[in-house]
């Protein structure tokens, strides 16, 4: 059964720092990997989707990479801002198609 | 606009009073799913559906029912709600076509069972 781990569980940084959030998974036979953002009490917003054939995706200040062989993905946030404060989750879809979620990284960016 | 719509967004009910949370998507997605989210436990899948008339249990199906009579709708039914079903519920959908697969979420339904 696929297991997804996100490290760190929580992160507090000053504004302007470049950040790396990590997502690891145990079964490398994946279909895709998706990063989400969730504000407290709100729904999940899709940030980036990486198909299994891709190595990375970029959107604005966000860059997500995928290394299937090592079972890892990283979400890079450049020049962090207080508005980036949220919980970031990754979800991995495998052969069964059913996505498996990590527990998330809670990020606080303080001015 | 592509979206997943859940109703109601907020609901307070009492133990044993049947309720239904509706979920509808306008993207012609095959896959739909229900999750509950509780502090410290993350997202847990309740039920999912790969297409019309095809549903299957997730990790925490006890106390819930679903149906998929139409492709766009996937209601979650609590026949006899109990306080341990107080939670934040999310519906999600995605296409199963090769090269697609982006998962879209509804805004959530916060349920309190007294």
């Amino acid at each position: 059964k696929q297991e997804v781990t996100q490290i760190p569980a929580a992160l507090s940084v000053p504004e302007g720092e470049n950040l790396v959030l990590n997502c690891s998974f145990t079964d490398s036979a994946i279909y895709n990997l998706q990063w989400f953002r969730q504000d407290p009490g709100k729904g999940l917003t899709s940030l980036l989707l990486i198909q299994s054939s891709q190595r990375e995706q970029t959107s604005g200040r966000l860059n997500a990479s995928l290394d299937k062989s090592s079972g890892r993905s990283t979400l890079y946030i450049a020049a962090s801002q207080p508005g980036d404060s949220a919980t970031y989750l990754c979800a991995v879809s495998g052969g069964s198609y059913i996505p498996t979620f990590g527990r998330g990284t809670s990020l606080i960016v303080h001015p | 606009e592509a979206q997943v719509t859940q109703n109601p967004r907020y609901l307070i009910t009492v133990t044993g009073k049947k309720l239904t949370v509706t979920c509808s998507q306008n993207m012609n997605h095959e896959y739909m799913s229900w999750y509950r989210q509780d502090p410290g436990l993350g997202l847990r899948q309740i039920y999912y559906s790969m297409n019309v008339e095809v549903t299957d249990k997730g990790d925490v199906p006890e106390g819930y029912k679903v149906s998929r009579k139409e492709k766009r709708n996937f209601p979650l039914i609590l026949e006899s709600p109990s306080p341990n079903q107080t939670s934040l519920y999310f519906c999600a959908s995605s296409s199963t076509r090769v090269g697609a697969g982006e998962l879209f979420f509804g805004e959530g339904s916060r349920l309190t069972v007294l």
Side-chain angles (χ1 to χ4, degrees), chain A residues 62-85:
Chain A
L62 305 179
N63 175 275
S65 67
L66 174 63
D67 183 345
K68 284 196 306 179
S69 61
S70 66
R72 292 181 184 177
S73 175
T74 61
L75 179 67
Y76 178 81
I77 304 176
S80 59
Q81 303 170 358
D84 294 329
S85 299

Side-chain angles (χ1 to χ4, degrees), chain A residues 1 31-32 34 36 38 41-47 49 51 89 91 93 96-99 101-103, chain B residues 31 35 37 40-41 43 45 48 50 59 90 94-103 105-107 110:
Chain A
K1 182 180 177 183
Y31 181 65
N32 64 41
Q34 194 168 353
F36 295 88
Q38 185 179 26
K42 304 292 186 181
L44 280 73
T45 301
S46 178
L47 297 174
L49 172 70
Q51 302 291 351
L89 296 101
S93 293
S96 68
Y97 190 77
I98 313 305
F101 282 83
R103 291 286 187 94
Chain B
Y31 175 81
Y35 297 87
Q37 188 176 44
L41 297 177
L43 274 170
Q45 190 175 50
Y48 65 94
M50 297 301 290
D59 298 319
F90 290 104
S94 71
S95 169
T96 57
R97 288 184 293 109
V98 173
E102 184 176 5
L103 195 60
F105 276 81
E107 293 189 5
R110 184 168 294 280

Side-chain angles (χ1 to χ4, degrees), chain B:
Chain B
E1 180 189 354
Q3 59 185 5
V4 179
T5 303
Q6 298 178 224
N7 280 295
R9 295 286 315 283
Y10 302 91
L11 179 63
I12 300 174
T13 190
V14 296
T15 299
K17 186 175 182 180
K18 179 180 179 180
L19 68 91
T20 299
V21 186
T22 63
C23 175
S24 180
Q25 49 92 7
N26 63 0
M27 296 166 279
N28 201 36
H29 285 166
E30 297 82 11
Y31 175 81
M32 296 186 76
S33 181
W34 277 103
Y35 297 87
R36 61 178 289 175
Q37 188 176 44
D38 303 286
L41 297 177
L43 274 170
R44 294 182 292 169
Q45 190 175 50
I46 303 170
Y47 271 94
Y48 65 94
S49 169
M50 297 301 290
N51 216 323
V52 176
E53 301 292 0
V54 180
T55 63
D56 212 341
K57 296 178 181 179
D59 298 319
V60 288
E62 294 78 19
Y64 304 95
K65 284 177 57 178
V66 293
S67 67
R68 187 91 182 271
K69 295 185 172 62
E70 304 168 285
K71 198 172 186 180
R72 63 183 292 123
N73 296 323
F74 190 45
L76 179 69
I77 303 158
L78 286 73
E79 293 271 4
S80 183
S82 62
N84 65 12
Q85 292 178 299
T86 293
S87 186
L88 180 57
Y89 292 85
F90 290 104
C91 180
S93 74
S94 71
S95 169
T96 57
R97 288 184 293 109
V98 173
E102 184 176 5
L103 195 60
F104 292 81
F105 276 81
E107 293 189 5
S109 296
R110 184 168 294 280
L111 171 66
T112 301
V113 183
L114 302 175

Side-chain angles (χ1 to χ4, degrees), chain A residues 18-33:
Chain A
N18 299 324
L19 308 172
V20 175
L21 308 183
N22 297 293
C23 172
S24 62
F25 46 94
T26 55
D27 185 349
S28 62
I30 69 169
Y31 181 65
N32 64 41
L33 184 145

